[in-house]
Amino acid sequence: MDEREKLRKFRELDDAFAQALRELEKPDSRLDIPTGPPVRSLAELEAEEQEQRQQAFETRLQSLMKEYAQPRESVADLLRTLRTLGHIA
């Protein structure tokens, strides 16, 4: 995003904020101020991203288990061995 685009977006935000303040100052205001989507915290975003990675991993693991005809127990043993050796967290 170039500087002109940033400046344009800032002006739009500034105008919207000024309009919202004017609406609040009106005595008969219905507080009909448009709002955006709810803001999510960084922790929520990270948790959502972690969940997506987990689901992708599980899907890929299931696919590989099926492709190589490996039972759940064998894969669990392999993962425990890798964890014990320090190759995975």
Side-chain angles (χ1 to χ4, degrees):
M1 185 181 305
D2 67 351
E3 293 301 315
R4 287 183 185 173
E5 182 68 16
K6 288 179 185 176
L7 185 58
R8 184 186 66 76
K9 287 191 177 282
F10 177 77
R11 286 184 183 148
E12 287 176 1
L13 181 62
D14 186 52
D15 290 344
F17 184 69
Q19 178 63 30
L21 287 176
R22 285 191 294 274
E23 287 292 323
L24 287 173
E25 291 173 355
K26 289 181 183 177
D28 59 346
S29 175
R30 291 185 11 238
L31 296 177
D32 191 18
I33 301 170
T35 61
V39 177
R40 294 184 291 173
S41 71
L42 184 57
E44 289 173 332
L45 292 173
E46 288 173 348
E48 183 179 295
E49 184 178 300
Q50 176 65 26
E51 179 67 28
Q52 290 172 347
R53 284 195 307 265
Q54 180 70 26
Q55 288 176 351
F57 172 79
E58 289 175 8
T59 301
R60 181 70 178 136
L61 181 60
Q62 291 292 331
S63 174
L64 288 170
M65 288 169 58
K66 185 175 182 179
E67 182 178 341
Y68 290 98
Q70 293 298 312
R72 182 176 293 259
E73 297 79 21
S74 295
V75 174
D77 286 341
L78 174 63
L79 290 173
R80 276 192 294 277
T81 302
L82 289 171
R83 182 171 283 145
T84 301
L85 296 174
H87 293 289
I88 59 174

